[in-house]
Amino acid sequence: MTLYFFLWLHHKVNCLILYTKMKFTLIFGSLIGLAAFCFVSCDEAAKQLELQLLTSNIELLEAALRKECNHTENNGLIGRRRRALIREKRLSIDGRISVASHQLIILKKEYMNCKNYKGTVLTGSKLLGLFAPRNIKHYSWPALNDGKDSGVIKQVVFKKLFSNTAVKVEVTTNMRVAGKGKCCRWFFTFDNQECKPHTIESVRYESSTNDLHISYSFHGVCPALNRGNLVMALNVGKCRNGSGYALGDCYTGRYSTTHLTVEEIELS
């Protein structure tokens, strides 16, 4: 009797273990399947969003071409066939994205040719972000070693393409102010005028007799500037009235490279 009982118990235990393993396998497999489904769904959603953005940009440029360049669908420049392919459900999402990207490039070229794109102001700020190339310049000087206390340190000419944009500047160099109770101010000018309503500057005050050349970087954005060639200058001079500090012994770029980056940007 006891032997039969142990055999029965052993059988039940084995059945329970087998059931548990099967259940765990089913749950684990379901979790893997769910994760894969979510990954595929998220990837699909991202691609759908990308296609939607491309389509919106295409519609924006098509409207601009019709309004500003008198282009119609009859002359083939709008690309009716490609637009149909973008909507074709039988084509894979990757294929539709590829077609839409190609169509957007064609429309950009058509619009630029139509407007004789050489810094022409675009109608509608939304168009600027679509295809205007980044207008950015970088300048560098290996060793300025400029000991002037007042005046222009370096001057460059930057071509601003649009009237409704701003200019961002950033400079990295080393600066020195010598003299106890002294001050030096580095600042940018645009066509011999400082930025309005707020200046772009870096001010150093010295309260000891130290003679330290320290690396500094400062930047700013100037919004109210006309389109065309801008004469930009990095200057040094005395600090503002009321600071209580007299002009010190200034020095810029001692045996180190000075970097200046200028970029035209669109403010939201």
Side-chain angles (χ1 to χ4, degrees), residues 121 152 236:
V121 178
V152 175
V236 66

Side-chain angles (χ1 to χ4, degrees), residues 98-117:
S98 178
V99 173
S101 299
H102 185 57
Q103 175 64 5
L104 187 61
I105 292 173
I106 291 175
L107 291 175
K108 289 176 182 179
K109 290 180 179 179
E110 292 294 340
Y111 188 84
M112 287 189 284
N113 291 336
C114 161
K115 302 296 286 187
N116 190 21
Y117 181 77

Side-chain angles (χ1 to χ4, degrees), residues 39-51:
F39 177 79
V40 172
S41 299
C42 291
D43 184 57
E44 183 75 13
K47 290 181 179 180
Q48 289 289 352
L49 184 62
E50 181 182 359
L51 180 62

Side-chain angles (χ1 to χ4, degrees), residues 32-97:
I32 293 177
L34 181 61
F37 174 77
C38 291
F39 177 79
V40 172
S41 299
C42 291
D43 184 57
E44 183 75 13
K47 290 181 179 180
Q48 289 289 352
L49 184 62
E50 181 182 359
L51 180 62
Q52 184 179 354
L53 179 61
L54 286 169
T55 305
S56 298
N57 289 340
I58 287 172
E59 292 174 354
L60 184 65
L61 277 172
E62 286 177 345
L65 280 166
R66 287 193 294 267
K67 181 179 179 181
E68 302 172 34
C69 305
N70 296 321
H71 285 180
T72 63
E73 294 193 19
N74 294 327
N75 62 16
L77 295 174
I78 299 300
R80 288 175 293 171
R81 183 171 178 272
R82 289 192 184 89
R83 193 166 58 181
L85 282 173
I86 294 170
R87 296 193 300 264
E88 178 56 65
K89 300 297 183 181
R90 291 174 294 180
L91 192 63
S92 68
I93 184 68
D94 291 321
R96 293 161 67 191
I97 288 175

Side-chain angles (χ1 to χ4, degrees), residues 67-268:
K67 181 179 179 181
E68 302 172 34
C69 305
N70 296 321
H71 285 180
T72 63
E73 294 193 19
N74 294 327
N75 62 16
L77 295 174
I78 299 300
R80 288 175 293 171
R81 183 171 178 272
R82 289 192 184 89
R83 193 166 58 181
L85 282 173
I86 294 170
R87 296 193 300 264
E88 178 56 65
K89 300 297 183 181
R90 291 174 294 180
L91 192 63
S92 68
I93 184 68
D94 291 321
R96 293 161 67 191
I97 288 175
S98 178
V99 173
S101 299
H102 185 57
Q103 175 64 5
L104 187 61
I105 292 173
I106 291 175
L107 291 175
K108 289 176 182 179
K109 290 180 179 179
E110 292 294 340
Y111 188 84
M112 287 189 284
N113 291 336
C114 161
K115 302 296 286 187
N116 190 21
Y117 181 77
K118 302 246 182 229
T120 305
V121 178
L122 303 181
T123 58
S125 59
K126 290 183 179 179
L127 289 177
L128 176 61
L130 277 180
F131 60 87
R134 288 188 68 183
N135 185 16
I136 182 170
K137 298 291 184 183
H138 179 259
Y139 311 88
S140 60
W141 302 274
L144 292 179
N145 292 327
D146 196 316
K148 69 169 61 74
D149 300 330
S150 182
V152 175
I153 302 294
K154 272 298 178 182
Q155 181 173 285
V156 299
V157 176
F158 178 77
K159 185 174 183 180
K160 187 171 182 285
L161 300 179
F162 303 96
S163 60
N164 59 342
T165 55
V167 172
K168 178 183 178 181
V169 294
E170 182 174 3
V171 64
T172 301
T173 185
N174 71 52
M175 307 171 180
R176 190 278 310 272
V177 180
K180 187 174 182 179
K182 303 293 184 177
C183 177
C184 292
R185 175 176 176 258
W186 286 263
F187 58 96
F188 280 100
T189 56
F190 304 85
D191 291 337
N192 298 318
Q193 299 291 326
E194 289 199 57
C195 183
K196 296 178 180 179
H198 304 294
T199 59
I200 302 175
E201 62 183 357
S202 178
V203 179
R204 280 198 59 197
Y205 298 94
E206 183 57 65
S207 58
S208 66
T209 56
N210 294 329
D211 184 15
L212 301 176
H213 297 261
I214 302 176
S215 294
Y216 274 89
S217 177
F218 70 96
H219 68 275
V221 174
C222 194
L225 297 171
N226 294 326
R227 184 183 56 161
N229 290 330
L230 285 173
V231 179
M232 299 178 48
L234 173 63
N235 307 263
V236 66
K238 66 178 183 178
C239 297
R240 298 180 183 180
N241 295 331
S243 66
Y245 283 68
L247 178 62
D249 183 6
C250 313
Y251 204 95
T252 309
R254 180 178 174 84
Y255 295 108
S256 65
T257 301
T258 296
H259 294 274
L260 171 63
T261 304
V262 187
E263 182 178 7
E264 183 175 5
I265 62 174
E266 184 182 22
L267 299 177
S268 59

